[in-house]
């Protein structure tokens, strides 16, 4: 059993990175490893967009990550600086920036880049999926 | 031994050169996503002599209809094999 | 050379497809633009360049998580009267492909035709 | 005087495309041309993200487009299919998809790809800015 | 005469080859954004012989500190000049 | 070759920067990761590869719409004790640059060192 982390930097739909990462995450968990967390950075933060409405006959990545979190207790950490610039705010940040409405909700959590460094150095393996 | 992961086609992006220049003599290279285009006969030459250390993700080859065109020198692995490669490597480095 | 133009494809819209299926949404979104233009009665030419030629490789399937891919969309082209399909000849060679083995009937375009196509279409969109 | 259209396919912040397009748009209008519309496609739809909160000392592209629309009567057309997949919904689409809240508001309007073809063939020049 | 617009560096992406192969004998090529890297001495050779038809956006060179490194064969234009190029061309084609 | 390792840079985190300033957010976001790691007391090495070497060209400025660029961030590196800056030697040559004329003190890394760096750092992030 090893501890894994995933760094995802590609948006869903625009690039295959999110599909690859989710599939890899499931395989890691299926092999009995511990997937400690997924960190969303760069355009990867769009994976947390709660308003995403893909066609019904296509995979819904946002829901896919939420299911992974529930099934395996994986934390879903979204870089707050990358997210705010891209219009991804949870309720607290929306209030802080005087915006009506929010676009990120649990199990995704906005967090600092320090969590990425921590995840990368704490885990036995960090695997990056870029766009 | 490190595992390098490449998701761009050598026909489109020069990033494969960066991956090659960062690889040690025992390192492995796994082609995923559009990177599996590099497993095709004429393009596989971009990777020089990586015989036995060049892998391609089978699901990505298959979705693109490229399994029959994959060069014999490339080792095909499924996503389970991908995980195994990360287990065996000390560390992974992604190129995109 | 102007007198030779008639031999080249002409049309309202040239859609240049430079990406393969699955890896990005470029191919899908380029094909969607072509289909919409055709549905509006415009004459559309598709040009597959670079890795875009892999869009025409037969035997494609959906992705492991249920991604649809673009092969089904390509098969709709004929229904929309999009039958001007050109493939960059150099790219075919680079990928070891042959125009006869492709998913759809297409014609290889050499350097001279490539450099004329943007002139013989009213609008050019690159994807 | 010529009629111009712009096709923008790059997200703000992640790529320079939106900066280039906005600057070009201002220059076109400044030269006395008529800028008929800007069409947002592919990741360009993120330019319409009303919740975007870039740092205060950086350009705010979403506001920049809105100002352009007001100053020069430019229509801002967002491809609806590309937008929905990426979590960009106006109030009407949010209601249709049973989502609480929305992420796109006027002067941006969700519209079909046919508008892009129309813009491209109606204008004397269509200039594309990709990522 | 068409205006081709390229925003990727020839050091990173092969797309400049596609732009070149789609250019007619009188067409012009404008380098913008990261594409202005192609105006640097050693890289400008990627574009072959486009003398007088190869342009680079001055604001993008300037923001990158590349004005002093720009090859003399490249014509520098500001954003007003960019608009002029689009006026003079029958059509524009973007490569990215 | 294992015995030669000591001559190469070692550290906790290797950040590989492969993009120039302004064109994309990659350089900015890579530098941010490096700064945060350094602020947490980690030993960080920066490797500028490919067009990433243009990040170190002197005389950069903000963009025309008020974009900040990355030069100000680069100037903060020293404050965070990030002084291990390597530049791919081949890329320097490709861009006609010289290590002495760069914005910050850096060392050119040849092929042998490049291929060792990922081994001498606990974590490698590519941007």
């Amino acid at each position: 059993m090893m501890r894994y982390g995933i760094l995802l930097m590609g948006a869903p739909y625009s690039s295959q990175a999110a599909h690859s990462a989710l599939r890899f995450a499931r395989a890691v968990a299926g092999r009995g490893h511990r997937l400690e967390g997924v960190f969303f950075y760069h355009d990867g933060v769009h994976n947390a967009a709660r308003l995403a409405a893909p066609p019904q006959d296509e995979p819904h990545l946002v829901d896919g990550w939420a299911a992974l979190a529930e099934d395996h207790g994986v934390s879903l950490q979204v870089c707050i600086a990358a997210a705010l610039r891209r219009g991804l705010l949870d309720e607290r940040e929306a209030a802080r920036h005087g915006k009506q409405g929010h676009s990120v909700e649990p199990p995704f959590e906005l967090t600092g880049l320090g969590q990425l460094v921590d995840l990368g150095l704490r885990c036995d393996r960090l695997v990056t999926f870029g766009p | 031994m490190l595992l390098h992961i490449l998701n761009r086609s050598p026909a489109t992006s020069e990033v494969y050169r960066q991956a090659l220049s960062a690889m040690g003599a025992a390192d492995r290279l796994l082609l995923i996503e559009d990177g599996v285009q590099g497993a095709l006969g004429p393009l596989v030459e971009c990777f020089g002599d990586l015989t036995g250390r060049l892998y391609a993700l089978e699901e990505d080859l298959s979705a693109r209809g490229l399994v029959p065109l994959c060069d014999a020198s490339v080792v095909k692995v499924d996503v389970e094999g991908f995980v195994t490669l990360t287990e065996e490597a000390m560390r992974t480095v992604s190129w995109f | 050379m102007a007198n030779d133009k008639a031999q080249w494809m002409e049309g309202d819209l040239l859609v240049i497809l430079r990406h393969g299926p699955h890896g990005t949404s470029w191919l899908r979104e380029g094909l969607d633009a072509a289909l919409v233009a055709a549905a509006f009665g415009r004459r559309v030419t598709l040009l597959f360049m670079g890795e875009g030629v892999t869009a025409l490789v037969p035997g494609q399937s959906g992705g492991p998580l249920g991604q649809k891919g673009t092969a089904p969309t390509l098969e709709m082209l004929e229904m929309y009267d999009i039958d001007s399909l050109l493939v960059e000849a150099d790219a075919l060679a680079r990928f070891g492909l042959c125009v006869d083995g492709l998913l759809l009937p297409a014609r290889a375009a050499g350097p001279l035709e490539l450099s004329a196509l943007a002139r013989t279409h009213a609008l050019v969109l690159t994807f």
Side-chain angles (χ1 to χ4, degrees), chain A, chain B, chain C:
Chain A
M1 202 275 292
M2 292 199 287
R3 286 164 306 160
Y4 274 75
I6 287 177
L7 168 59
L8 175 51
M9 303 208 277
Y13 186 64
S14 300
S15 90
Q16 198 185 341
H19 295 94
S20 300
L22 186 54
R23 191 155 44 104
F24 181 78
R26 288 273 175 200
V28 163
R31 298 260 298 192
H33 296 304
R34 165 89 190 116
L35 180 59
E36 302 250 332
V38 181
F39 194 91
F40 301 87
Y41 194 33
H42 190 76
D43 285 344
V45 299
H46 289 299
N47 282 275
R50 70 172 184 89
L51 293 172
Q56 302 219 335
D57 58 350
E58 290 181 34
H60 195 306
L61 276 298
V62 181
D63 291 353
W65 289 115
L68 178 80
E70 186 171 318
D71 293 349
H72 300 285
V74 179
S75 78
L76 305 178
Q77 307 172 342
V78 182
C79 173
I80 188 167
L84 292 181
R85 295 164 191 271
R86 291 173 172 86
L88 292 156
L89 288 69
D90 59 13
E91 284 189 299
R92 200 181 64 170
E93 289 302 318
R96 265 187 8 111
H97 287 84
K99 306 264 184 189
Q100 295 280 326
H102 64 287
S103 42
V104 174
E105 63 192 11
F108 293 93
E109 47 180 327
L110 298 183
T111 183
L113 260 180
Q115 295 298 313
L116 167 61
V117 177
D118 182 62
L119 183 72
L121 291 172
R122 179 162 43 94
C123 290
D124 300 300
R125 300 287 183 273
L126 181 85
V127 182
T128 298
F129 292 88
Chain B
M1 186 271 293
L2 308 189
L3 176 67
H4 297 259
I5 303 168
L6 175 65
N7 75 345
R8 297 280 174 110
S9 171
T12 302
S13 167
E14 294 279 320
V15 65
Y16 77 91
R17 294 183 196 273
Q18 297 178 341
L20 289 174
S21 69
M23 281 179 69
D27 288 358
R28 295 168 172 176
L29 180 63
L30 171 65
L31 309 177
I32 68 168
E33 302 175 359
D34 286 339
V36 299
Q37 293 174 21
L40 301 199
L43 285 166
V44 80
E45 291 170 23
C46 293
F47 300 108
D49 184 21
L50 290 182
T51 308
R53 299 188 288 132
L54 181 60
Y55 300 79
L57 192 57
E58 190 151 22
E59 289 94 331
D60 286 337
L61 283 168
S62 170
R64 289 163 177 78
L66 299 181
V67 172
L69 302 171
C70 181
D71 195 81
S73 67
V74 180
V75 184
K76 293 192 280 283
V77 293
D78 59 13
V79 70
E80 300 277 324
F82 182 178
V83 176
T84 304
L85 286 172
T86 65
E87 290 166 357
E88 293 172 356
M90 177 172 68
R91 193 168 298 136
T92 70
V93 184
S94 296
W95 302 92
F96 48 86
Chain C
M1 211 169 80
N3 292 334
D4 295 339
K5 269 194 188 171
Q7 74 180 283
W8 310 130
M9 294 279 187
E10 288 189 355
D12 299 310
L13 174 62
L14 174 67
V15 175
I16 305 181
L17 301 163
R18 305 175 301 123
H19 294 269
H22 288 289
T24 63
S25 63
W26 286 112
L27 176 61
R28 166 95 59 99
E29 291 177 313
L31 288 172
D32 283 349
L35 290 173
V36 164
F40 282 24
R42 301 300 185 168
R43 292 172 305 154
V44 178
T45 301
L46 299 184
L47 169 62
F48 296 85
M49 284 187 91
E51 68 170 84
V53 302
T54 63
L56 294 174
V57 170
Q60 296 172 48
S61 62
L65 288 181
Q67 301 104 299
K68 287 172 67 179
T70 42
T73 309
L74 284 164
E75 284 159 10
M76 290 166 55
L77 291 175
E78 203 189 343
M79 223 163 37
Y80 283 76
D81 294 323
I82 300 179
D83 52 12
S84 302
L85 272 63
L86 298 175
V87 185
E88 185 190 8
D90 284 357
L92 278 176
R94 187 121 196 246
F95 282 85
L97 298 172
C98 170
V99 76
D100 293 330
L102 301 179
L103 193 64
L104 294 173
R107 188 162 61 71
L112 202 57
E113 181 163 15
L114 277 188
S115 67
L117 281 170
R119 234 164 312 280
T120 55
H121 291 78
L123 178 63
V124 182
L125 297 178
T126 35
F127 290 97

